[in-house]
Amino acid sequence: MNWPPTLGVILAGGLSRRMGGGDKPLLRLGDRTLLERVAARLRPQCSAGLILNANGDPSRFRAFTGFVVPDSLPDAPGPLAGVLAALDFCAAHHPDVAYVASVAGDTPFLPHDFVERLHAARARDGVEMAVAASGGQLHFVNGVWAVSLRHDLRTALVERGLRRVGMWIARHNAAEAAWETEPVDPFLNLNTPEDFFAAERLVAGEGRSPVQ
C-alpha cells in the first residue's frame, strides 16, 4: 500500500427511519448483506484492520469479523459520534496508526481505491482530513480523518453541540477526492426502499454490466 496505515470503520449507528427502522446494514442485497458487501470492499484497503460502529446489543453483528464499537456519547448524536468512537478506539488500540477511514454502512458499491485517493487528496492539500465526492455532491461521512482530531471533535460534539458533519469539516478545510458516477455512483447509499430496489437491479446486472 502506498498510503499510511489506516484503520477502517463502517458506520452503522443510524436509526434507519426511512427504511422502517432496524439495522439497515443487515439487509440482504443479492446473496450478501450490505455489511458484508461494504466490509469486503473496505477491509483490503485498511492495513490496521476494520471495526464496526454500532449501538445496542453487539451480538446481532456476530457475523462481522472485528470489534463492534459503540458511540461514547449518549442519545445517538449522529455520524460524528461514530467517527469519534473510531478515532478514540484507534488511539487506544493502535497507537502507531495515525488515520481512520470511515464509510456509511449502506454504501455497497464503495470504490476499491477509496482510501488511497482520499490520502492522496489529503496529502496534496496538506490537511488532516479528506472526504469523498461524486456527481457534484460531497459524501461527508465517507472520509479519512487524522486520529489527532479526536480532541477537537469531542469538544465540538460535547461543548458546542455540533451535529452536522459538514460544519465540522469546513472548520478544517477538508480536502476532496471525486469519483465518476458511471457506470454506477460508488457512493450510492440506500436510504429508501426505492434506493434498495435500484441497487438490487445493479447487482443483478439489469441494463448494464453487473456490479462486482
Side-chain angles (χ1 to χ4, degrees):
M1 293 183 179
N2 298 320
W3 55 93
T6 302
L7 175 71
V9 59
I10 299 173
L11 302 175
L15 301 177
S16 304
R17 291 188 179 94
R18 283 183 286 178
M19 289 289 286
D23 294 305
K24 187 174 16 172
L26 295 181
L27 295 176
R28 297 193 72 82
L29 178 62
D31 60 348
R32 291 180 288 171
T33 65
L34 290 179
L35 180 58
E36 289 171 327
R37 288 182 177 276
V38 176
R41 286 178 174 251
L42 183 59
R43 194 184 301 276
Q45 305 182 48
C46 297
S47 58
L50 185 63
I51 63 174
L52 175 67
N53 165 243
N55 299 307
D57 183 0
S59 67
R60 66 195 195 276
F61 297 106
R62 63 178 62 88
F64 177 76
T65 303
F67 288 98
V68 179
V69 180
D71 293 347
S72 59
L73 301 178
D75 303 322
L80 280 177
V83 173
L84 175 61
L87 296 178
D88 286 343
F89 180 93
C90 189
H93 296 272
H94 301 278
D96 296 330
V97 175
Y99 294 96
V100 166
S102 66
V103 300
D106 61 351
T107 50
F109 308 125
L110 189 76
H112 297 289
D113 59 354
F114 173 73
V115 176
E116 179 181 15
R117 290 188 56 190
L118 285 174
H119 271 304
R122 178 193 56 74
R124 177 198 66 212
D125 292 1
V127 294
E128 297 178 301
M129 62 173 69
V131 296
S134 63
Q137 178 182 355
L138 288 176
H139 305 287
F140 293 125
V141 302
N142 299 299
V144 161
W145 326 92
V147 176
S148 60
L149 293 167
R150 69 189 191 282
H151 303 301
D152 179 86
L153 179 53
R154 182 173 292 277
T155 297
L157 283 165
V158 175
E159 297 183 10
R160 296 197 297 273
L162 189 68
R163 295 294 181 266
R164 291 181 177 272
V165 184
M167 293 178 65
W168 185 60
I169 68 172
R171 296 179 60 248
H172 293 273
N173 299 313
E176 300 174 15
W179 278 262
E180 297 294 329
T181 57
E182 293 294 334
V184 61
D185 186 340
F187 301 102
L188 173 67
N189 59 331
L190 311 187
N191 287 322
T192 66
E194 290 75 19
D195 294 334
F196 199 87
F197 295 148
E200 287 182 323
R201 291 193 295 272
L202 287 169
V203 168
E206 293 182 12
R208 61 180 73 193
S209 299
V211 177
Q212 302 298 326

